[in-house]
Amino acid sequence: MMIKRLLQSLLLILVVLSPLPALAADAPAAADPSYLGIPAVTYKTTDNGGEYTVTIQILAIMTLLMVLPSLLIMMTSFTRIIVVLAILRQAIGLQQTPSNQVLLGLSLFLTLFVMMPVFRVINAEAVQPYLAETIPPLEAAERAVKPLHEFMLAQTRETDLQLFIRISGREDIASAEETPIHILIPAFITSELKTAFQIGFLIFIPFLIIDLVVASILMAMGMMMLSPVIISLPFKIMLFVLIDGWAMIMGTLANSFGTV
């Protein structure tokens, strides 16, 4: 009896919540060939070509926000900065200090500092005209990509760029400025990693010399069971503080991208 009443209750709920009347009311709209199934999804033709409704634009913006971390890593100065800071922490001998959160935050804000001129151009030439509804979304996207294209091209080595152009098989690229964005991005990342490792190598040398000196002294004193890292770590930290190492590293990273 309880099961029968439960089934009756479920049937009553289904009848009340049934979407059949709503579907019947929308039947004329569904018969329209231009009907897409979602009333808010429409395409409006304009003098500049056309544009989608606000619903689709919001969906595109939300999608862009999902891939924003990847764009931040792949198309800005973030990669070089975070790699150099990670190498610096390893060279000093500190495993968890500064923490990963501190390094990420420092890299993020230094990236904003370096990329601010590019972001200003994007805001002036793409974002503000789009918000003022003077240009369509596609043109705004093209204008936004152009400053990033120029920045990445200025930081990319010619050998790396030619490598990916050759791999892609594109023979119609007459100059570096004509390089498509999908070819420029991997070339830019390759150049950034190469530059970051070169800077990291120069950072590693003085700390390596301190390790060698401490290890030689300990071996000469017969203290071979004592780890040289324990003894050299305070000296490396003291050296880094005395030469104002953080200011030198930050200044070197910022100046490595040219005028900011």
Side-chain angles (χ1 to χ4, degrees):
M1 182 64 66
M2 293 182 61
I3 296 177
K4 184 177 180 180
R5 290 182 178 178
L6 180 60
L7 292 177
Q8 290 176 351
S9 301
L10 291 175
L11 181 60
L12 180 60
I13 293 174
L14 291 176
V15 171
V16 172
L17 300 179
S18 176
L20 291 178
L23 293 177
D26 292 340
D32 188 358
S34 63
Y35 181 70
L36 299 179
I38 304 176
V41 179
T42 57
Y43 183 79
K44 180 174 65 176
T45 303
T46 61
D47 296 335
N48 295 325
E51 60 181 13
Y52 289 94
T53 55
V54 178
T55 305
I56 295 300
Q57 296 180 22
I58 293 176
L59 179 61
I61 293 174
M62 296 301 295
T63 304
L64 180 62
L65 291 177
M66 293 178 62
V67 301
L68 187 60
S70 299
L71 297 178
L72 177 66
I73 294 174
M74 299 302 172
M75 300 177 66
T76 64
S77 58
F78 184 85
T79 300
R80 182 188 305 185
I81 295 171
I82 190 64
V83 170
V84 170
L85 293 180
I87 293 177
L88 171 64
R89 184 174 66 178
Q90 186 69 27
I92 296 177
L94 300 171
Q95 301 299 324
Q96 299 295 332
T97 305
S99 63
N100 293 332
Q101 291 81 359
V102 174
L103 290 185
L104 288 174
L106 184 58
S107 302
L108 177 60
F109 283 101
L110 189 57
T111 298
L112 293 177
F113 173 76
V114 172
M115 299 296 298
M116 189 54 64
V118 179
F119 293 157
R120 288 198 187 102
V121 175
I122 294 176
N123 181 67
E125 298 184 358
V127 177
Q128 293 303 323
Y130 173 70
L131 294 178
E133 299 183 355
T134 58
I135 58 175
L138 293 180
E139 183 178 351
E142 293 176 358
R143 291 188 182 186
V145 169
K146 185 177 180 181
L148 288 174
H149 188 282
E150 294 175 354
F151 170 79
M152 290 189 293
L153 188 61
Q155 304 299 326
T156 304
R157 290 178 171 82
E158 184 177 356
T159 54
D160 297 327
L161 187 61
Q162 293 297 327
L163 170 65
F164 284 93
I165 292 177
R166 185 173 65 254
I167 293 175
S168 66
R170 293 286 299 273
E171 299 179 355
D172 57 333
I173 302 177
S175 61
E177 289 74 14
E178 299 177 3
T179 306
I181 193 70
H182 70 278
I183 297 178
L184 180 58
I185 290 178
F188 170 73
I189 293 298
T190 304
S191 293
E192 287 294 282
L193 290 174
K194 188 181 298 184
T195 303
F197 274 79
Q198 289 177 349
I199 299 175
F201 172 76
L202 297 177
I203 293 174
F204 228 106
I205 291 178
F207 298 109
L208 180 61
I209 293 175
I210 294 177
D211 286 334
L212 291 176
V213 171
V214 171
S216 300
I217 294 175
L218 292 178
M219 185 173 294
M221 296 176 61
M223 304 174 64
M224 292 177 292
M225 300 301 295
L226 183 61
S227 175
V229 178
I230 300 177
I231 305 301
S232 63
L233 180 58
F235 292 99
K236 290 189 288 186
I237 295 177
M238 181 180 64
L239 173 65
F240 191 71
V241 172
L242 289 177
I243 64 175
D244 198 7
W246 285 113
M248 293 180 60
I249 295 298
M250 297 298 106
T252 301
L253 286 173
N255 290 326
S256 67
F257 294 96
T259 304
V260 295

